[in-house]
Structures are given as C-alpha cells and as structure tokens.
Amino acid sequence: MIDSISLELMLIGLFGVGSQWLAWRFRLPAIVVMSIVGLLAGPLLGIIDPEKSFGDLYHPIVSIAVAIILFEGSLNLDFKEVRGLGRPVFRIVTWGALVSWILGSLTAHYIAGLSWAVAFVIGGIFIVTGPTVILPLLRQSKLKPRPAKILKWEGIIVDPFGALLAVFAFEIIVFFTGDEKDLTALLFFFLASILAVLIGIISGKGIGWMFEAGYIPEFLKSPTVFIAVVACFTIAEEVADETGLLAVTAMGMVLANMDISSIKDMRHFKENISILLVSTIFVMLTASLSVDTLIDVFNLRIIGYVLLMLFLVRPLSIFLSTIGTDLSIREKILVGWIAPRGIVALTVASYFASILFEKGFEDAAIVTSLTFALVFFTVCAHGFTMSWLAKKLNLSAEGQPGTLLVGSNSFSVALANIFRELDIPTIITDSSWEKLLKARKAGVPFHYGEILSEQTEYRLDMTPYDYLISSAEFDSYNTLVCTTFIPTFGRNNVFQVDIDSSTGENVDNMVKTIGGRTLFSSEISLEELIYRVEGGCVFRKTTITDHYSYDQYLAGRDEHTVQLFVLKRSKQLEFFANDTEINVESGDIVVSLTPPSKEYNKIQAKLDSIRNN
C-alpha cells in the first residue's frame, strides 16, 4: 500500500476521472467502471486504502461530498419541470417508498436472515435510488422525457428520506430494545429533522436574497454557495446525525424555485464539482472494502436477497403505488425495473452497520457486504439493460444524433431538409413567426420561441439533438446562444455561422473562450450561403467508396463548392469548421453546397452516357 497521502489522493482522483473517461469512451455505465477500478486498486491489489490512510477524516470527507452531490441534484428540482407528472411522482416517493421499505425489510429478515431491528434499518436505506447513480445513467441512456423525469425526481427526492427513515427506525429500535424507554430522544430527533428543513429553507432564501440584491459579486457566487452548503449540512448534523442531507436538499429546492438568473451558472459549476466528487468518492468507498466483505457478497442468502429486491420488491412497489395514475404499462415496467443504489446507500449503510454492531446486533456485521452486493448488482443490471429495455418498450429517444438549428432563413431551412433526407433528427427554432414561414412551408419541424428563454427548457425536448448550429442575423446573438449551450452540448458540438460585416454585426476579436466554433469557413458568411441557396445552388450527397476516394472527390469538385458536413458510417456527424480536419473514409457521405452549373454538367454527362449505351 502507498504510504504517501498526497500520492494516494492523486491516484484516487486519477482513478475516478479516468473511470469516467473510459465509461464515456466505450459507452459503459460510469458507476460500473468506477466500482471495478476501486476494487482493483483497493482490496484486490492493495494499492490504496483510503479509510485507513485518512483515519478520522475519512467519514467527514465522504459525508460532505455526498451532501454537495445531493445539493447539486436538488438544484434541478424546479417544480415547473414536473407539471403533468405530479401525481405519479408523489405516489412513488410516498406510497412507493413505504411499500418498498416494508417489502425490503421483510425480505432482509426472511431471506438474508437479519434480525427485525437490523432489517428495518437497512430496509429504509435501500429505498434510495440516488441521483449519484441515476443521473449519469439517464445522461447515457437518453430516455423519453416523461420516464426520465420520473426517475430523476424519485432519485433526488427519496435520497435524503432513505437515510432519515433508517435513522427513525434506528431510534425506535433503540427505544424499544433499550433498558430505559426514553421518549425524549425520539421526540428530539423528530424536532431536529423539522429544524434541519428550516435551516435549509432559511439558507436558500438568504443566499437567494443576497444574489438578487447584488450583495455578492459574480466571481464569489459559486464559492459562496459551496461554503453555504457545507455550513448548512454541518450545522444540521451537529444538531442531530443524518439530518444534514435533508437540510441541503431543502436549500437546493428553495434556490431552484426562486427564478434567480445566476442559478443556471451555478448548476453548471455544481455539476462539474458533482462529477468530480462522484468519481473520487465512489473509488474511495470501493477501495476501502475488505476482502472478507467481498467474499461475503457471494453468500447464498445475500444473492437471494438481491434477486428478490431486483425482481419482486421494486416492481411491486411501483405497480402498487401507481394504481390509478396515467402511467402506461410500459412506463411502469421501465420505472419498476430501474432502481440502482449508489453512494448514499453505501455510505449510510456502512455508518449504521458499525453503530448497530456496537449496540449488540451481531448480524449487522454482514450489512456492508449486503449493501455492496445490492449496489454493485443493481448498477450493473440496470446500467447495462436500461437503454436496451427502453428501446424494446419504445421509451428511448436515442437514435441518430440530431441537430438543433437556431435562426430560420433560406440556408437553415435547406440544411434542415438535407438532414431529413439523411434521416437525421432536426428542428429549427426562432422567436419570429414571420421568419419561420419558410420552415413551415417546407414542412420542417420548428419551435416558435426564444431559445434563450427559461421556458424553452420545459417546452422544447432537446434529448434527440447532439449538435447546435446558430445562424441568426447577428454575430453577438449567435455567440450568446453558443456560449449558453456549450455546457449542454459540449464545446465541440456547438457551431455558429459567420456574418458578413457589411450587412451584419461582425465581431472580429471575439474572445476564444466564448461562442461556438466557426462553421464551414470564416471566408463564407451567412449572407453568402443564403445568396447561393436562393440563387439555385444545390445540396449534393457524395458517397466515398474504395473506388472513389476522398482525394478524387476533392480533385473533381468545383472550386466554388462549400463542404458542409460528413455523415460517418457510424452515423455520427462531423462538420467542416475552420479549426477542424476531418478524416473521410470509405462509406462516409460528404454533403456539400454545389453550384447549379456543376450539378447540371453531371446530369448532362449521365444523360450522354445513357444515350451512348
């Protein structure tokens, strides 16, 4: 094992972020990769042992990290997003959680062999699906908006309540099994939970008020919120253990629903912090497991418990709790199958395992093994089957990567038409109904509204689109649109078309960190593209083959041809930009804007060939 704490910290970060990259590169569930890497680095190879190395700091580090992760998730709990989903979500997070707790506790007692006391404590913990797991899976799986929102809200809302339910069960057990039955301690915990919610609400309102009043400068907003989350969590925890998660969730929900313009900027910052924390903390937790814990995972009682939780407890709790709602049977099947457990379950279960064991419940010794088995098997089972099942149930929005076009004009409408011919999902959005006339006449899908409006997030489903092209009439507007959506689509997938300085608002010395990549060529302006389309230029699709190479295509093209994009054999799109060189291979389709004379000559040559034959 490594003796240097600095080196161990570096390796934890490297393993965590490296796992995320591997998961992205090979399209695997990130939690699965992190679990395997953590097990290899910890109990299997003995490279690191964070719990031993960090000592007393280990549990506070993990607890604060989980609080920040949960706060980041609760920042997405804008009530506008669940309009039309209120009843199913309410049922699932109340009656569904209750049914899951009771059935899970019964299964833990009769199948895993745990005492009633321990069974009801971990039964409460295991109602948690958790945003640390479900949100990354939703990003990768591309579900349709309705089931995706239900799973996201369930994961975030139930997350703190699972820990609280376990604490309530623990306090009741201590009360009934203790020599002195003191109602004061039980009443204190209930009051402390109410106080934790108040702390979260006051913290959220206070931070929101300071932001709106301008008492905090822009550069200090994210650090201020970061420290406020830690303070909110710590104060609640000092009052009563396990109430900190409830406090930070309340704080995040308050901020999310205050309509503060800075919240979106904080969401991006918190999301980046959350990804880093999820990566490192999950590696720390799995690396800290012992070999004995891993061996216990293969106990027949534990395996039987996991299987019943997967195939009986979860589906039954969803089906029973959603009776009378408008969820379809397909949505119930998908939601009833997807319930991966994550960091919160593993962290809280480890905490209670030690506390229960100290209280004399010897069967609590297998709780950590039981928890890890459930976490690992649910993450693997749901991570690898979520996309497949969604496609089978026709609840998947995944398909060929689509393109969102901002600004309606002759060129963007013609470009949208060529996308449709290639079966590429596309939509044009514009705030002018008059400018959308061309798109409406051409039968191109469109969205009428301001793309930068907050309401667009709720009215326009962006799931099918992986690329954004802004081709409005002002450079400054295109730059603002691209900068806004870089966190959503990624810098490499956001483009803008240059504007001719003589007619538009050309921004020559644009800072490189803002705006999108210049599409096609900086020498070709939007006005020139519109002029060519309206002048009769045509979109031409050229398939590169072994007998007709890309070099031959380049040699034979007209000098006025504008190369637009390449549709790869893998169905990915690669756009010709001023900072990109595309490797075009056999089987790829090159799409270009070609002068009509060139197209006419090709047609004439084909006709002459037919006549000669």
Side-chain angles (χ1 to χ4, degrees):
M1 189 182 76
I2 294 173
D3 295 329
S4 171
I5 294 180
S6 298
L7 184 57
E8 187 161 345
L9 280 171
M10 181 271 290
L11 286 175
I12 290 171
L14 182 64
F15 290 150
V17 177
S19 299
Q20 291 275 9
W21 182 85
L22 285 173
W24 165 80
R25 181 68 179 81
F26 297 103
R27 298 182 66 83
L28 298 170
I31 302 296
V32 174
V33 179
M34 288 188 287
S35 298
I36 294 172
V37 170
L39 292 175
L40 287 173
L44 297 181
L45 299 179
I47 299 174
I48 57 175
D49 187 351
E51 186 171 14
K52 182 178 179 180
S53 300
F54 299 155
D56 294 337
L57 289 176
Y58 177 78
H59 289 292
I61 289 173
V62 173
S63 298
I64 290 175
V66 171
I68 295 170
I69 292 166
L70 189 58
F71 172 76
E72 188 274 327
S74 62
L75 271 182
N76 296 315
L77 290 177
D78 192 328
F79 293 119
K80 297 172 187 173
E81 189 175 342
V82 289
R83 288 173 181 168
L85 297 176
R87 194 176 183 191
V89 170
F90 177 78
R91 289 280 196 88
I92 290 171
V93 301
T94 53
W95 294 111
L98 180 62
V99 172
S100 180
W101 177 39
I102 294 172
L103 292 179
S105 301
L106 291 173
T107 306
H109 175 71
Y110 288 110
I111 303 301
L114 298 178
S115 63
W116 283 114
V118 178
F120 270 92
V121 171
I122 69 164
I125 297 171
F126 291 160
I127 70 169
V128 170
T129 55
T132 59
V133 185
I134 199 67
L135 293 182
L137 288 183
L138 290 176
R139 290 190 198 103
Q140 293 176 358
S141 300
K142 285 194 173 183
L143 300 183
K144 287 185 177 179
R146 184 181 172 91
K149 288 177 181 179
I150 290 174
L151 287 169
K152 182 184 82 171
W153 273 74
E154 181 202 8
I156 296 172
I157 295 175
V158 172
D159 209 44
F161 293 111
L164 284 173
L165 197 57
V167 175
F168 290 149
F170 174 74
E171 292 292 338
I172 292 171
I173 288 165
V174 170
F175 172 73
F176 281 111
T177 59
D179 295 330
E180 296 181 4
K181 295 179 173 58
D182 186 9
L183 279 173
T184 306
L186 193 59
L187 180 62
F188 169 77
F189 184 78
F190 279 100
L191 293 175
S193 298
I194 296 172
L195 179 60
V197 173
L198 292 176
I199 291 172
I201 292 173
I202 293 170
S203 300
K205 289 285 187 182
I207 292 293
W209 173 76
M210 293 175 73
F211 279 12
E212 290 180 316
Y215 290 120
I216 300 177
E218 287 295 326
F219 74 95
L220 276 181
K221 285 184 176 179
S222 291
T224 300
V225 172
F226 186 89
I227 295 302
V229 172
V230 175
C232 180
F233 172 78
T234 305
I235 293 170
E237 285 287 303
E238 289 298 316
V239 175
D241 289 338
E242 305 306 324
T243 59
L245 296 181
L246 190 61
V248 296
T249 301
M251 178 181 173
M253 290 179 68
V254 167
L255 283 171
N257 289 276
M258 288 184 69
D259 295 326
I260 302 173
S261 58
S262 305
I263 289 297
K264 284 192 176 182
D265 296 333
M266 287 192 296
R267 280 179 182 166
H268 300 320
F269 170 77
K270 292 298 178 187
E271 184 174 298
N272 293 334
I273 293 294
S274 179
I275 289 174
L276 178 62
L277 290 176
V278 167
S279 306
T280 54
I281 296 302
F282 211 88
V283 169
M284 286 176 59
L285 288 171
T286 51
S288 298
L289 296 174
S290 66
V291 176
D292 291 337
T293 300
L294 294 182
I295 294 173
D296 284 341
V297 167
F298 299 99
N299 184 299
L300 289 178
R301 284 181 170 271
I302 291 180
I303 293 175
Y305 172 79
V306 171
L307 292 176
L308 283 177
M309 290 291 287
L310 280 169
F311 295 102
L312 179 65
V313 174
R314 170 65 178 184
L316 198 56
S317 65
I318 294 299
F319 274 83
L320 290 177
S321 63
T322 55
I323 292 174
T325 65
D326 59 349
L327 285 185
S328 67
I329 187 67
R330 292 178 300 158
E331 289 172 327
K332 290 181 181 181
I333 291 171
L334 180 64
V335 175
W337 170 243
I338 304 300
R341 276 66 170 187
I343 287 177
V344 173
L346 196 57
T347 306
V348 178
S350 299
Y351 168 78
F352 277 110
S354 59
I355 298 297
L356 287 166
F357 192 77
E358 290 174 3
K359 292 288 184 180
F361 297 96
E362 296 184 359
D363 54 328
I366 69 165
V367 166
T368 301
S369 301
L370 189 70
T371 308
F372 180 74
L374 187 64
V375 169
F376 188 77
F377 284 118
T378 55
V379 165
C380 288
H382 300 147
F384 284 112
T385 62
M386 190 173 184
S387 297
W388 172 84
L389 182 61
K391 290 176 183 177
K392 290 293 183 182
L393 296 172
N394 196 28
L395 293 174
S396 174
E398 188 171 10
Q400 187 163 316
T403 303
L404 173 64
L405 301 171
V406 180
S408 178
N409 51 60
S410 299
F411 170 72
S412 63
V413 170
L415 184 61
N417 273 324
I418 201 69
F419 284 144
R420 294 172 69 200
E421 290 179 17
L422 294 168
D423 295 324
I424 298 170
T426 188
I427 192 171
I428 292 179
T429 176
D430 204 303
S431 59
S432 169
W433 185 252
E434 182 181 352
K435 290 179 181 178
L436 283 170
L437 179 62
K438 290 184 174 67
R440 289 185 281 131
K441 283 185 175 181
V444 173
F446 67 90
H447 170 75
Y448 172 51
E450 173 53 62
I451 190 67
L452 295 174
S453 170
E454 182 183 353
Q455 298 303 316
T456 301
E457 182 179 351
Y458 310 113
R459 295 176 180 171
L460 177 61
D461 177 22
M462 296 189 185
T463 305
Y465 311 112
D466 294 77
Y467 308 94
L468 180 143
I469 297 175
S470 188
S471 56
E473 57 185 334
F474 296 107
D475 259 337
S476 54
Y477 180 79
N478 290 332
T479 299
L480 181 59
V481 168
C482 291
T483 303
T484 301
F485 285 96
I486 281 175
T488 303
F489 292 92
R491 184 172 295 278
N492 289 334
N493 294 341
V494 174
F495 304 89
Q496 64 187 90
V497 184
D498 263 2
I499 307 297
D500 190 341
S501 58
S502 63
T503 59
E505 189 189 36
N506 182 262
V507 184
D508 294 324
N509 299 316
M510 190 67 66
V511 180
K512 298 299 182 183
T513 56
I514 64 174
R517 300 162 65 196
T518 302
L519 199 58
F520 313 138
S521 169
S522 57
E523 299 175 1
I524 303 294
S525 67
L526 177 61
E527 285 74 17
E528 176 67 20
L529 291 168
I530 293 174
Y531 174 78
R532 292 192 183 192
V533 169
E534 293 179 348
C537 286
V538 294
F539 287 86
R540 181 179 172 213
K541 304 185 289 289
T542 305
T543 302
I544 304 301
T545 66
D546 293 333
H547 301 291
Y548 184 68
S549 67
Y550 183 57
D551 290 335
Q552 289 175 305
Y553 161 79
L554 292 177
R557 66 173 179 158
D558 187 279
E559 61 179 344
H560 297 295
T561 295
V562 179
Q563 295 185 94
L564 303 177
F565 63 89
V566 175
L567 178 60
K568 307 291 288 184
R569 285 182 300 176
S570 62
K571 302 303 181 182
Q572 296 295 314
L573 289 175
E574 291 192 17
F575 291 90
F576 287 96
N578 63 345
D579 59 348
T580 302
E581 290 186 7
I582 299 178
N583 181 28
V584 183
E585 303 170 329
S586 177
D588 296 345
I589 299 175
V590 180
V591 178
S592 58
L593 186 60
T594 306
S597 58
K598 177 76 173 180
E599 197 66 19
Y600 173 79
N601 292 336
K602 285 191 170 290
I603 294 172
Q604 190 63 47
K606 287 183 179 180
L607 291 174
D608 291 341
S609 176
I610 292 171
R611 292 192 190 100
N612 293 333
N613 290 334

